[in-house]
Amino acid sequence: MRGDAIQSTRAAELAQYVSLTIAIAGLQFGWSVETGFGTPYLLSLGLRKSLVSLVWLAGPLSGLIMQPLVGILSDKSTSRFGRRRPFIVGSTVCTVLCLCVIGWTRQITGGHEALTIWLAVIAFYFMDFAINCLQASLRALIVDVLPASRQDAGTAWASRMIGVGNVTGYLMGFLDLVHLLPFLGSTHMQVLTTIASTVLGVTVGITCYFTSEMPLVRPPTETDDSLEAFRALFTSLRSLPTVIKRTFRIQLFAWIGWFPFLFYGTTYVADLYVAAHSTDGGSEAETMERGTRAGSLAMFAHALASLASSLILPLFTYSAAVGPPQQQPGSRSTSVLGNIKQVLHGVRMRLAVSLPTMWAMSLVIFSLAMLLTLVTSTVFVASMILAVCGISWAVAMWVPFSMIGETIRGVASLPYESQMHAAPVSGDYVQVSSSDIPMEVIDDHGLDQDADPQPALPSTEMSAGTILGIHNVFIVIPQFITAFASSLIFAVFEHIQGSGKAGGQHAQQIALVMSLGGLSAAVAAYLSWKLRSQS
């Protein structure tokens, strides 16, 4: 009977993880459509290459503005539908509308070139803002719903859903969608945006329907001053739990490494391909097209590695709220399946590491991979480097959010007196309560209340949405740094060597930018290892 109850509990938890995070898969699928096919689509409309980069400034700008703002507003929302759900539904509707406009831009404008370009650019900008709003709300929902002991598993499932969305999105690039699904549109982009809109709507619907969210009940004496909260957003950084502040610092250096990879990974492989096949005959356009497909194939391998890693690595990682795996009580099983489970659990006991340790190891792998681009000259090796980075990418989409989430929920679950002596004061990554914490505990004790005459508590000054919004700022700032630094490096090389054509020289320039990002990732690995020593 006890075994049946355990199995029933595990099945219920699995269903909750899937329903809670499946919207992230739909979001990532839509994001992959934009990042994977947005540039060639804008170029096909007649937009100049020099202006395309200005369009993609929408990403960091929207992340810098929307996620903190949405975090503050949703933290204080008293909607009867919950704090996050109204923002999730609203941003989903906006994203779907933008996808439809992008797919049918020419039809909407009647073929007018200038108007078509302007409408497409505006739609991409609005979609970036909507996607950032949706991402902030979905991440905050995970922190709200799951207790500290299950934050690690919840964010691991979010990482898996990101992997599913990426693999599916990149796979669409290899399929002749117009031939397979002609009833969805007459162009590849029309079919893609139709599929992305449908997938996003269905997955968000599942999350909203099956996830229970407790509405916020504000005390009568509390006033809603969102403007004041927004002004105090960054001044409150000093009062955040120390483990969260150190996570932000690690993210700053880690994402200085990640953005060159994300911006130029496909182009790096494509340029190596062009350099290796420039004398094979055929037109330059044909060679470049084959190189682009080679780069897309490398990113598809990266997505597969990321998905596989998101399924396997959480099994060998433990959070501070749960602690390392322990020896299971009871006699040795007599069934084959039972023996296999016991053996696997024994392996997990020997190999399991803490979240900061896993993060540090993944950053070391990523740093070495980026440095190897300096000495790589073949498409195969470059593709393997991109694929290996999928391991680190899976960890990047999981561990930081897990550590932040369990810190928010874990410290908030402690009594007031215990919070005064918890991790935010000592700076340690300590084990916290693993008991389930209902939403009303957060509402009553800490993440949304105004300061009282007692000393302010670091863990209770801001809610999950606000903290995750600030966290996103530390991800966005490196994008500006990377864009400026890479533009400067490319400008210097163009001045020395001339603009030239795609090929070996361009690949070397990209390798230099990526290797500098690898050095920054090495700093992040060191900081993560220091955080691990306090766990």
Side-chain angles (χ1 to χ4, degrees):
M1 293 293 293
R2 185 173 180 273
D4 292 340
I6 293 175
Q7 291 297 325
S8 177
T9 301
R10 289 177 177 173
E13 289 182 351
L14 176 61
Q16 184 184 28
Y17 291 141
V18 173
S19 62
L20 179 62
T21 60
I22 193 170
I24 294 179
L27 170 64
Q28 193 65 29
F29 182 87
W31 182 256
S32 68
V33 170
E34 178 182 6
T35 56
F37 306 99
T39 296
Y41 178 69
L42 290 172
L43 292 174
S44 71
L45 295 179
L47 187 66
R48 297 197 307 271
K49 289 182 180 179
S50 58
L51 297 177
V52 171
S53 59
L54 297 180
V55 176
W56 299 132
L57 282 177
L61 285 174
S62 59
L64 190 64
I65 297 171
M66 285 302 295
Q67 293 216 20
L69 180 61
V70 169
I72 291 173
L73 295 178
S74 63
D75 282 345
K76 294 181 173 293
S77 173
T78 55
S79 169
R80 64 187 179 90
F81 298 107
R83 290 194 289 180
R84 317 300 177 188
R85 190 177 281 109
F87 291 87
I88 292 173
V89 173
S91 56
T92 298
V93 171
C94 184
T95 303
V96 169
L97 289 176
C98 290
L99 284 169
C100 293
V101 170
I102 290 169
W104 276 266
T105 305
R106 281 197 176 97
Q107 287 74 12
I108 294 174
T109 62
H112 189 282
E113 182 175 339
L115 187 58
T116 298
I117 292 174
W118 273 105
L119 181 61
V121 169
I122 292 172
F124 273 115
Y125 261 80
F126 271 93
M127 188 168 77
D128 268 321
F129 276 79
I131 284 177
N132 271 282
C133 177
L134 180 56
Q135 183 183 43
S137 303
L138 291 174
R139 285 289 189 177
L141 185 64
I142 295 175
V143 178
D144 288 347
V145 171
L146 298 179
S149 59
R150 294 171 59 197
Q151 285 294 320
D152 184 35
T155 51
W157 270 98
S159 176
R160 290 163 187 155
M161 292 301 178
I162 289 173
V164 170
N166 274 334
V167 169
T168 308
Y170 285 119
L171 181 62
M172 292 297 169
F174 298 102
L175 301 177
D176 186 356
L177 296 178
V178 177
H179 177 73
L180 294 173
L181 304 168
F183 55 90
L184 294 182
S186 57
T187 66
H188 191 76
M189 182 57 80
Q190 287 179 357
V191 179
L192 265 180
T193 52
T194 302
I195 296 175
S197 299
T198 304
V199 170
L200 181 61
V202 171
T203 54
V204 168
I206 292 173
T207 294
C208 289
Y209 182 79
F210 289 101
T211 301
S212 299
E213 190 181 3
M214 182 74 68
L216 172 66
V217 179
R218 183 181 293 111
T221 57
E222 184 177 349
T223 60
D224 182 10
D225 190 354
S226 297
L227 182 60
E228 176 62 29
F230 191 70
R231 285 196 297 263
L233 180 63
F234 296 103
T235 59
S236 300
L237 277 171
R238 291 177 298 176
S239 63
L240 284 172
T242 303
V243 66
I244 292 182
K245 289 191 287 188
R246 293 183 178 179
T247 300
F248 290 172
R249 191 180 307 141
I250 295 169
Q251 287 286 67
L252 180 66
F253 286 98
W255 280 90
I256 290 176
W258 276 116
F259 277 118
F261 173 86
L262 297 174
F263 285 159
Y264 306 116
T266 302
T267 307
Y268 172 65
V269 176
D271 285 349
L272 287 176
Y273 183 94
V274 171
H277 297 82
S278 57
T279 59
D280 290 355
S283 67
E284 179 184 339
E286 291 175 345
T287 304
M288 194 62 204
E289 183 180 348
R290 291 195 298 269
T292 302
R293 285 201 298 269
S296 298
L297 182 61
M299 290 304 295
F300 180 68
H302 162 82
L304 286 176
S306 176
L307 178 59
S309 299
S310 68
L311 293 171
I312 298 172
L313 293 183
L315 301 176
F316 299 96
T317 311
Y318 61 86
S319 66
V322 177
Q326 303 295 327
Q327 181 66 46
Q328 293 177 338
S331 58
R332 187 174 180 84
S333 176
T334 56
S335 66
V336 176
L337 182 60
N339 287 331
I340 293 175
K341 288 183 177 179
Q342 288 181 346
V343 170
L344 291 177
H345 184 74
V347 172
R348 183 169 179 263
M349 286 178 57
R350 293 181 179 88
L351 300 181
V353 297
S354 67
L355 288 173
T357 302
M358 179 62 73
W359 197 9
M361 293 167 59
S362 71
L363 286 168
V364 169
I365 293 173
F366 177 61
S367 176
L368 292 175
M370 292 297 94
L371 292 173
L372 282 175
T373 59
L374 285 172
V375 295
T376 300
S377 59
T378 66
V379 172
F380 176 78
V381 175
S383 299
M384 289 300 99
I385 288 175
L386 265 61
V388 168
C389 289
I391 300 172
S392 303
W393 181 250
V395 177
M397 294 295 100
W398 149 48
V399 169
F401 296 96
S402 179
M403 292 171 59
I404 293 171
E406 81 167 14
T407 302
I408 295 171
R409 297 307 308 270
V411 178
S413 70
L414 299 176
Y416 181 89
E417 295 78 7
S418 300
Q419 293 187 33
M420 294 301 296
H421 303 286
V425 177
S426 66
D428 295 333
Y429 182 61
V430 297
Q431 184 165 333
V432 293
S433 171
S434 61
S435 58
D436 288 349
I437 312 163
M439 285 291 297
E440 52 266 28
V441 170
I442 298 180
D443 300 331
D444 292 340
H445 297 292
L447 297 177
D448 293 298
Q449 292 184 343
D450 295 327
D452 53 35
Q454 295 176 300
L457 293 181
S459 62
T460 64
E461 287 195 350
M462 288 181 288
S463 267
T466 306
I467 293 176
L468 290 174
I470 298 175
H471 171 240
N472 191 68
V473 171
F474 283 84
I475 294 177
V476 168
I477 290 175
Q479 189 165 348
F480 289 103
I481 296 173
T482 299
F484 175 76
S486 60
S487 297
L488 182 62
I489 291 172
F490 293 150
V492 170
F493 274 101
E494 286 181 1
H495 179 73
I496 297 173
Q497 301 174 346
S499 58
K501 298 178 180 180
Q505 286 187 349
H506 278 192
Q508 291 172 2
Q509 296 168 19
I510 293 174
L512 177 60
V513 173
M514 294 171 75
S515 63
L516 292 176
L519 293 177
S520 182
V523 175
Y526 170 73
L527 295 175
S528 183
W529 187 259
K530 286 183 62 178
L531 186 61
R532 161 259 175 203
S533 66
Q534 299 170 352
S535 60

